[in-house]
Amino acid sequence: GAGVSQSPRYKVAKRGQDVALRCDPISGHVSLFWYQQALGQGPEFLTYFQNEAQLDKSGLPSDRFFAERPEGSVSTLKIQRTQQEDSAVYLCASSLARGALQAENTEAFFGQGTRLTVV
Amino acid sequence: GDSVTQMEGPVTLSEEAFLTINCTYTATGYPSLFWYVQYPGEGLQLLLKATKADDKGSNKGFEATYRKETTSFHLEKGSVQVSDSAVYFCALSEDVNAGNMLTFGGGTRLMVKP
């Protein structure tokens, strides 16, 4: 497709259940980001991939959160033993950017997100 | 660490009114600044950006000027339309060892009434 695709759009999980959220970035985009957006708040950074390498995972809130991008394209965010505080919209974004230079600062394209509700 | 503060909403305006949404930031370096918009049922979209001091970003009648002396990036539009109703997010990126990781403000909901 032309844009960033996330699935599922909605997920209801029972507390303690494991979930997996999928992101298909724009083809050829090197950088991929996951963000968490709680209700009524701005997105907060979770983790960043450059191709298949996870270069920053400082935003993951606990060791129950795990992300991978094994072939440098599709990414999966996994949450183990979900808790109610995990309820949020999980956003994926991709960009062409590959470096730390201002000149390579290109636009990030966002998917529509996965709304996770833990009951 | 970096942070972005924007005015809380909702902001309710009549069509053709003037819009200002305030945004200030704190950053350790020299960030790029962005405004993103989230229309109902859609994903975040880049509205405009500025990468250095005194730059003005503009798009769809919206504009914002990068003010380093006041660490601000206020969003303005001279005449809003009902179709501008959305949530607006101010964001920054320092682009250091983290690609283009964005730090967002809390968002401001704009409601424009006909």
Side-chain angles (χ1 to χ4, degrees):
Chain A
V4 177
S5 178
Q6 292 187 246
S7 60
R9 287 291 312 280
Y10 303 92
K11 175 69 179 178
V12 178
K14 292 185 177 179
R15 193 168 52 185
Q17 185 179 354
D18 297 350
V19 298
L21 312 180
R22 178 187 169 104
C23 172
D24 282 86
I26 294 173
S27 177
H29 277 195
V30 169
S31 295
L32 185 145
F33 304 84
W34 284 97
Y35 292 86
Q36 180 189 58
Q37 186 177 16
L39 186 64
Q41 298 184 23
E44 293 191 355
F45 170 78
L46 293 177
T47 187
Y48 159 62
F49 291 86
Q50 189 176 105
N51 294 308
E52 69 280 1
Q54 189 175 19
L55 298 187
D56 189 339
K57 53 182 182 179
S58 61
L60 296 177
S62 78
D63 58 8
R64 295 186 295 104
F65 286 70
F66 172 75
E68 60 184 6
R69 194 186 185 197
E71 297 179 358
S73 55
V74 171
S75 177
T76 304
L77 176 67
K78 298 179 179 178
I79 309 173
Q80 297 177 323
R81 305 181 303 281
T82 52
Q83 303 296 315
Q84 281 195 313
E85 62 263 28
D86 301 334
S87 296
V89 175
Y90 290 86
L91 299 171
C92 176
S94 70
S95 78
L96 282 170
R98 63 180 68 243
L101 300 177
Q102 283 292 353
E104 297 178 87
N105 190 352
T106 61
E107 179 179 352
F109 294 85
F110 283 80
Q112 290 186 288
T114 295
R115 181 178 297 279
L116 172 65
T117 304
V118 181
V119 297
Chain B
D2 296 350
S3 67
V4 176
T5 302
Q6 58 183 109
M7 61 191 292
E8 292 190 18
V11 174
T12 304
L13 296 173
S14 297
E15 206 165 22
E16 299 184 2
F18 184 85
L19 168 71
T20 300
I21 300 178
N22 290 336
C23 171
T24 57
Y25 68 90
T26 59
T28 53
Y30 199 166
S32 294
L33 302 175
F34 306 82
W35 277 99
Y36 278 81
V37 58
Q38 191 170 37
Y39 298 104
E42 299 184 17
L44 281 167
Q45 301 173 26
L46 178 64
L47 180 60
L48 54 84
K49 70 177 183 181
T51 58
K52 60 183 187 295
D54 300 325
D55 264 4
K56 178 184 286 188
S58 60
N59 186 25
K60 299 182 181 180
F62 290 89
E63 58 183 34
T65 300
Y66 190 140
R67 298 290 188 201
K68 193 170 188 294
E69 64 277 13
T70 54
T71 62
S72 65
F73 193 55
H74 304 321
L75 182 68
E76 296 183 336
K77 186 174 186 183
S79 176
V80 294
Q81 305 301 311
V82 172
S83 58
D84 294 326
S85 298
V87 182
Y88 293 81
F89 293 93
C90 185
L92 68 81
S93 170
E94 291 218 64
D95 200 22
V96 176
N97 299 321
N100 289 307
M101 185 198 89
L102 292 160
T103 299
F104 287 90
T108 302
R109 180 176 299 278
L110 170 66
M111 296 188 294
V112 181
K113 298 184 175 181

